[in-house]
Every structure is written in C-alpha cells, then in structure tokens.
C-alpha cells in the first residue's frame, strides 16, 4: 500500500507481506499478512512499532518518505514479538538519537531478542496511565498484558481519539486485500489471542472509558467507523460466548468410513433444520479454521477413527489446540470408529473432560468399521438431540 495519510498528522508506514508461507510458522495466510506501523508528526515525531525483519528495507523507505526530512524522536514499542520488533535494530542504527518507549517488560524482552545489545540511554520506561506529549498530540500508555504477550501495551492518542491496539483487532491478510473483516479476524483471534479471553475482557473494560474514534491495529485494516461492531465481536469472542447457532462437525478418518458417517450426520442435521453445519476433514482442511468454527458455533461433534490404541492423530491435534485455547461453554458430542478395540472415544473424552462448562451429549456412539442400520439410527437420534440442544 505504501505510505498514506491516516489523518492530517498520522501516516501509515507499514508493509504488506505477500511472500510469507506460514504466519508464526503455522498459519496459512492465503492473502498474506500486513505488519502495520504508523508515524505521528507533531513538534515531536513518534513512530508506532516496527515490522518483521523480512521487510525492514521497505519499512525504512516508507519511514523516510513519511518523515520528509524530519527525524523521529521516539519509537513506541507496543509489542516485542518479532513480527513487530524485527526492524528495531535497523531503526536504532539509522536514527541513533531517537528514544525507545516501552514498559519494563518490553526492554527486558528486547534485550533477550537482541543478544549483546544494550538500549541504555535510549529507554523511556512507561507504566499504566503515563503520558508523553508530542505537541498537540498526547500518548497515553495502557498495559494489556497477555493480549498476546506479557509485555503488550496499547497506546491511546487523545486529541484524535486513536487507539493503537497492538495485536487486538488484528486480522490475517494484507492491507490491500478486499475481504470481509470478521472471517479472517476471527480465525486470527481464536488461534493467536484466544487463550487470553480474560485479559482481552480487561482491555475492553479499559477501552470503554476512552473516547475512541479509530482503532489502528498492528495487523489488518484501519478501523475508522462502525467501531461498535468490531468491539462487540471482540466482546463476544473473548467472553467465550458462541457467536451464533450452528454445529461444527470435525472428523478424522483414515480410509473414509468415518468420513462417510460424518457426511451422513451433516445431511441429517441439515434435514432436521440445523441453522448451520460446518464440516471439517481434519486431515486436509485448515486446522485453524476448525478451531475458529469450534468457537464460533455453540455445538461441536468430534468424530474419529481409533489408531494405535488411541485416536487418529489429526483429531488429537485439534483437541490439543482446543485445550490450549481453553475451549469451553459449548455442547459437544463424540462419535468413535474402531474395527476391533475402539479407543478414539476414550481419548477424545479425556480431553473434553478438561474443558469447562461443556454439555456432553451421551452416550459416545461407537461405529464398528462402517455405518450399519443400528449405528445409523444412533446418529439420527444424536442429530435430533443436537438440533434441539
Ligand atoms: Fe503480531 Fe503477537 O504479534
């Protein structure tokens, strides 16, 4: 996108990354990723975060263009994760007089990432509520620990009502991607920030006391209108409430018989009037989308083959992720398949038992190799219960 004016005094200097194969070495990003960075030009000049090291040169060039010969006084470091801190050393080398604004944890972590580097003499250490005035603009620092890392803070600029929100309200996809915000913001939220719903709730409470006219996140589009919509979705997601009625059916099938059962169950659910059925082949579909829809809807069916006296691994991978993201507050059903000693149901249930506030539909259904009239009738009964749940 290059450099552009966000307001009269605030310019965008971030970069789009279309070369990235996997974000955080695990998430598919079909539309790339944006590393957002901003400059506030006033009597003093503040740069808001840097970008991933793979895009240092492009960022410095953008910065140069935006500064029009001025020198930055500050680099505000809201988040130290390398997708944002990766170009800090290049900044420090290019602008040795600039000071770095962060909190105590920011600097502790920065020095861990940059071995042998001391930022002494450059550090401006801030804490909750501290203010730094740039001229007509004033930055207020608000600690947001664990949204997504412990050192995270967000910065509120009060004259223009701008919240620089770090990873909060972020989204997969480059800035020039024209797509629905919620779909890729939700996948980003549940997979990256989702474990820390309580901390996001705490940040939303602090944000409610501010007059926010614009949210500028470190990833994804600049949110300049309709803010109640975005904040409302963040409130729903971070309070672990389902966003809507629907049934996610996630299956892990070795030779296709568990898959056939999953497809039949999906048809039964639709025929019985389920509002939405979201089906995932855990061996092939994006696991991050399966996590997203498990949280998005209020009911989840876990169907898997038995394997090595346990569960077929693609299912266990989903269960590990749901456990890590503190999955809770949903209705869950389990269907296992096993040809001689079915074991998948026991393993799935051992995970589900660790999730909070789960309404488990009993009994676990056991398919022997492939569906027959008896197990098909059990699936019909399960479909009835799910639709009514
Ligand atoms: Fe975008 Fe937590 O880094």
């Amino acid at each position: 996108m290059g450099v552009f004016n966000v307001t009269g005094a605030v310019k965008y200097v971030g970069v789009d990354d279309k070369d990235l194969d996997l974000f955080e070495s695990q998430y598919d990003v079909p539309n790339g990723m944006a590393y957002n960075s901003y400059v506030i030009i006033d009597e003093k000049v503040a740069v808001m975060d840097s970008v991933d090291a793979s895009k240092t040169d492009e960022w410095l060039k953008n910065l140069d263009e935006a500064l029009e010969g001025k020198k930055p006084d500050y680099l505000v470091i809201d988040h130290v994760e390398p997708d944002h801190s990766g170009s800090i050393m290049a900044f420090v080398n290019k602008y040795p007089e600039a000071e770095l604004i962060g909190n105590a944890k920011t600097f502790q972590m920065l020095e861990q990432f940059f071995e042998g580097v001391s930022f002494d003499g450059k550090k401006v250490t801030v804490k909750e509520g501290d203010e730094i005035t740039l001229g007509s603009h004033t930055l207020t620092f608000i600690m947001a620990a664990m949204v997504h890392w412990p050192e995270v803070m967000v910065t509120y600029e009060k004259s223009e009502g701008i919240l620089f929100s770090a990873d909060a309200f972020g989204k997969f996809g480059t800035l020039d991607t024209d797509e629905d915000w919620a779909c890729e913001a939700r996948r980003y939220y549940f997979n990256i920030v989702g474990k820390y719903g309580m901390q996001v709730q705490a940040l939303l409470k602090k944000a409610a006391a501010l007059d926010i006219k614009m949210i500028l996140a470190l990833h994804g589009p600049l949110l300049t209108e309709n803010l109640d919509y975005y904040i409302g979705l963040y409130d729903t997601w971070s309070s672990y409430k389902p966003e809507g009625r629907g049934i996610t059916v996630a299956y892990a099938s070795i030779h296709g018989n568990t898959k056939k059962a999953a497809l039949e169950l999906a048809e039964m659910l639709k025929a019985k009037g389920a509002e939405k059925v979201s089906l995932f082949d855990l061996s092939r579909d994006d696991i991050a989308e399966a996590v997203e829809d498990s949280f998005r809807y209020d009911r989840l069916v876990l169907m898997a083959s038995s394997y090595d006296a346990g569960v077929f691994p693609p299912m266990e991978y989903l269960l590990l992720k749901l456990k890590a993201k503190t999955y809770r507050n949903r209705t869950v059903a389990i269907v296992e398949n096993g040809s001689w000693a079915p074991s998948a149901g026991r393993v799935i249930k051992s995970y589900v038992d660790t999730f909070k506030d789960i309404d488990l539909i009993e009994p676990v259904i056991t398919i022997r190799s492939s569906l027959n009239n008896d197990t098909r009738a059990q699936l019909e009964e399960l479909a009835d219960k799910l639709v009514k749940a």
Side-chain angles (χ1 to χ4, degrees):
M1 292 288 277
V3 176
F4 60 88
N5 277 20
V6 180
T7 69
V10 179
K11 295 182 186 188
Y12 182 85
V13 293
V15 294
D16 274 346
D17 187 350
K18 296 181 181 183
D19 308 316
L20 188 65
D21 57 344
L22 293 170
F23 183 67
E24 284 190 0
S25 296
Q26 58 174 327
Y27 300 111
D28 276 330
V29 278
N31 292 319
M33 200 67 193
Y35 312 121
N36 295 338
S37 169
Y38 310 89
V39 182
I40 305 170
I41 311 248
D42 201 324
E43 287 159 33
K44 293 207 164 179
V45 173
V47 180
M48 309 303 290
D49 285 287
S50 87
V51 302
D52 189 82
S54 63
K55 298 291 172 192
T56 301
D57 291 349
E58 196 178 331
W59 178 63
L60 287 178
K61 197 167 143 279
N62 285 352
L63 207 48
D64 217 33
E65 184 185 329
L67 289 170
E68 296 174 330
K70 296 182 187 66
K71 293 260 186 273
D73 296 279
Y74 301 115
L75 174 66
V76 175
I77 304 166
D78 278 337
H79 189 11
V80 176
E81 192 165 10
D83 51 328
H84 311 293
S85 67
S87 301
I88 287 179
M89 283 314 301
F91 176 92
V92 166
N93 291 332
K94 183 160 182 189
Y95 302 109
E97 288 101 47
E99 293 183 295
L100 308 182
I101 299 177
N103 56 66
K105 283 201 182 81
T106 312
F107 294 115
Q108 182 197 335
M109 228 180 249
L110 261 194
E111 288 173 358
Q112 289 172 192
F113 274 104
F114 301 109
E115 188 191 359
V117 174
S118 165
F119 295 99
D120 287 350
K122 291 184 186 305
K123 296 185 223 175
V124 179
T125 305
V126 293
K127 53 187 188 323
E128 178 77 18
D130 281 358
E131 293 190 344
I132 288 180
T133 298
L134 305 175
S136 66
H137 293 79
T138 302
L139 303 178
T140 307
F141 304 97
I142 299 163
M143 301 303 127
M146 300 321 297
V147 183
H148 157 225
W149 276 19
E151 89 301 352
V152 171
M153 58 184 195
V154 300
T155 302
Y156 177 64
E157 197 296 302
K158 63 177 152 188
S159 73
E160 303 207 59
I162 299 175
L163 182 69
F164 294 92
S165 65
D167 277 345
F169 300 96
K171 174 187 159 294
F172 293 121
T174 56
L175 212 61
D176 64 4
T177 305
D178 183 17
E179 65 183 357
D180 174 56
W181 181 83
C183 183
E184 282 293 73
R186 186 191 300 105
R187 188 169 71 98
Y188 177 91
Y189 175 81
F190 282 114
N191 285 279
I192 291 177
V193 188
K195 182 178 177 67
Y196 306 108
M198 268 169 54
Q199 290 84 348
V200 174
Q201 283 280 305
L203 176 60
L204 291 178
K205 283 204 179 73
K206 292 184 190 180
L210 306 171
D211 179 16
I212 299 171
K213 297 192 173 71
M214 195 181 290
I215 297 174
L216 303 186
L218 287 176
H219 302 288
L222 287 56
L223 306 178
T224 56
E225 51 191 20
N226 208 9
L227 298 188
D228 287 349
Y229 167 73
Y230 304 108
I231 293 169
L233 278 178
Y234 250 65
D235 185 36
T236 301
W237 297 342
S238 58
S239 55
Y240 299 97
K241 289 181 198 140
E243 194 180 321
R245 286 213 19 109
I247 303 167
T248 300
V249 177
Y251 64 89
S253 182
I254 305 167
H255 297 294
N257 287 302
T258 306
K259 174 180 178 174
K260 275 187 198 153
L263 297 182
E264 281 202 35
L265 177 65
E267 288 311 312
M268 290 171 192
L269 291 167
K270 286 180 204 161
K272 290 175 195 297
E275 300 82 351
K276 163 82 191 173
V277 178
S278 187
L279 198 61
F280 289 95
D281 175 350
L282 297 175
S283 296
R284 293 173 180 83
D285 292 335
D286 178 12
I287 191 84
E289 280 200 30
V291 169
E292 175 193 349
D293 277 9
S294 299
F295 279 99
R296 179 175 187 175
Y297 299 116
D298 57 336
R299 288 153 286 167
L300 172 65
V301 187
L302 299 162
M303 305 180 70
S305 315
S306 302
Y307 193 84
D308 285 344
V311 66
F312 188 42
M315 172 59 76
E316 189 146 23
Y317 190 40
L318 174 66
L319 292 165
L320 275 172
K321 293 221 166 221
L322 292 179
K323 186 175 176 182
K325 305 301 174 191
T326 68
Y327 187 74
R328 66 185 74 174
N329 194 31
R330 304 287 190 278
T331 296
V332 175
I334 300 170
V335 179
E336 66 176 352
N337 192 351
S339 293
W340 62 96
S343 49
R346 173 182 48 77
V347 178
I348 296 172
K349 188 164 183 302
S350 72
Y351 279 92
V352 172
D353 285 345
T354 68
F355 303 159
K356 275 192 204 155
D357 302 325
I358 295 296
D359 188 1
L360 180 66
I361 298 182
E362 307 262 27
V364 170
I365 294 176
T366 300
I367 297 167
R368 291 284 186 163
S369 304
S370 65
L371 274 185
N372 58 24
N373 283 342
D374 179 36
T375 44
R376 191 168 281 114
Q378 291 178 44
L379 283 190
E380 284 280 0
E381 207 177 309
L382 173 62
D384 277 329
K385 289 182 191 165
L386 280 164
V387 168
K388 286 178 193 143

